[in-house]
Amino acid sequence: MLFVPSSEIAARIVAFQSLLQSQQVDAALLRQNTDLYYFSGTVQDAFLLIPASGPPVFAVRRDVHRAEQQTPLRPVIPLESLKQLPSLVDKVTGRSSPRTLGMELDVLPANTFFFFDEKLFPKDRLVDVSGLIRHVRSLKSSWELEMMRGAAVIADAVARAVPQVLREGMREWDLLAELEKTARLAGHLGFSRVRGFNLEIYFGHVLSGPEAAEAPYADHPTGGPGISPAFSQGSGYRTIRRGDLVSVDTMLNHNGYLNDQTRNFSLGPSHTVLQDCYAMSRELHYWLQEHAVPGAVTGDLYDQVLDVVRKAGRLEHFMGPKDSGVSFLGHGLGLEVDEFPFIAKGQKMVLREGMTFAFEPKWVVPGIGVSGFENTYVVTEHGAEALNVTPDDLVMLP
């Protein structure tokens, strides 16, 4: 089992404490699994109390023994009742109420917030520190990049398996199953964490032919039919035919860290429109690698890419079918699918070295199919460097 180094945990907490001090927040109480893993190295059922200065306290409901094995933080305190939390906050802050306490209000259930606000900390001011957390997490360390490169290796194994298993007459669902097996054997954890409410994702979208262009219900450029209205996205039972373009969009997890990759395959020549769109997608990636430099504003990058597409006469069907298209081209990636930064309309975030994001310029053409590829990138001083190692060619199979 691969544990998060203690130096990583220490650096993250120091960076977060600096932001707490800048916002005059006395302490943060963290509860969400992704944030617990990021700041402690474990997802044991717990509350992590991080003061603006001084050592944190890790209060664990279950399992204390496993928590002590997996986190370098000390002390690890058994939490038998939520009523213990006020005294623990007194301890880490060095004073009693009134104080300003931070919580993850973007993901915390409302009833939990009201309980904390009205019952546990009625004299304190509770504020949202989710934005501070996400800013700290947006800058990846060399260790985190190593984890993300590991996820890219899994994605490469999946892409390389496609020509071995894809055949005319097989169902999308069967191809999906074969590729999921490959991913799991290569180390994929089998799930992807998402922060947004009601935003759901699993292995990815393995789609083919005209049905691939079915409008999505969620904030994705591609959707697919799925096999049930309970989760109507991704692969269906469609039979893959000669001439189909098959889009393999995977979200793979290595030790908690994600890689997003899309590659296209065809059984014989695919529709010329889709081939042209794929070539345009490659050109946009080359443009991005040069222009996504530290200091670039994400909303400006979005506008500039759209301008390139508009001048090429390819704006129709770009990033989704008519009336269902999305207003982003890229999303931050790391421990969650939807991290900072977003290359999206109106965004003002400035790129910094060490930020990671997935870039996915795609065309969704009704009655024909989907086309375009996706890479995960890290911002360097010279531009965007792809973490993916899979060649970006459209693979035509005999």
Side-chain angles (χ1 to χ4, degrees), residues 261-309:
Q261 173 175 288
T262 303
R263 294 295 185 269
N264 289 180
F265 305 82
S266 67
L267 291 169
S270 59
H271 199 289
T272 55
V273 168
L274 299 182
Q275 293 186 48
D276 292 344
C277 289
Y278 195 85
M280 183 70 192
S281 181
R282 292 178 70 175
E283 291 300 318
L284 295 178
H285 277 267
Y286 300 150
W287 184 95
L288 177 91
Q289 289 172 30
E290 181 180 349
H291 290 85
V293 296
V297 178
T298 50
D300 292 347
L301 289 175
Y302 174 85
D303 292 339
Q304 291 163 14
V305 171
L306 253 62
D307 192 50
V308 172
V309 175

Side-chain angles (χ1 to χ4, degrees), residues 159-213:
R160 292 183 183 278
V162 175
Q164 309 302 318
V165 298
L166 175 59
R167 63 186 184 277
E168 185 178 1
M170 77 183 308
R171 302 182 305 172
E172 285 180 356
W173 193 254
D174 298 325
L175 175 60
L176 172 69
E178 293 286 349
L179 298 181
E180 284 196 81
K181 175 183 176 182
T182 298
R184 293 304 293 268
L185 291 176
H188 171 49
L189 295 188
F191 71 103
S192 302
R193 289 194 167 107
V194 185
R195 200 172 191 94
F197 177 70
N198 267 356
L199 185 59
E200 301 168 321
I201 195 167
Y202 65 127
F203 179 77
H205 289 169
V206 178
L207 307 171
S208 69
E211 285 87 341

Side-chain angles (χ1 to χ4, degrees), residues 70 112 123 129 141-142 194 203 230 233-234 271 300 306 323 346 382:
Q70 296 175 2
T112 302
K123 296 181 181 180
V129 292
S141 67
S142 58
V194 185
F203 179 77
Q233 62 171 282
H271 199 289
D300 292 347
L306 253 62
D323 301 325
H382 303 295

Side-chain angles (χ1 to χ4, degrees), residues 92-115:
V92 299
T93 61
R95 64 189 185 90
S96 58
S97 301
R99 297 157 300 202
T100 299
L101 305 179
M103 300 188 76
E104 305 140 307
L105 300 188
D106 63 331
V107 293
L108 197 70
N111 58 355
T112 302
F113 168 78
F114 287 129
F115 177 75

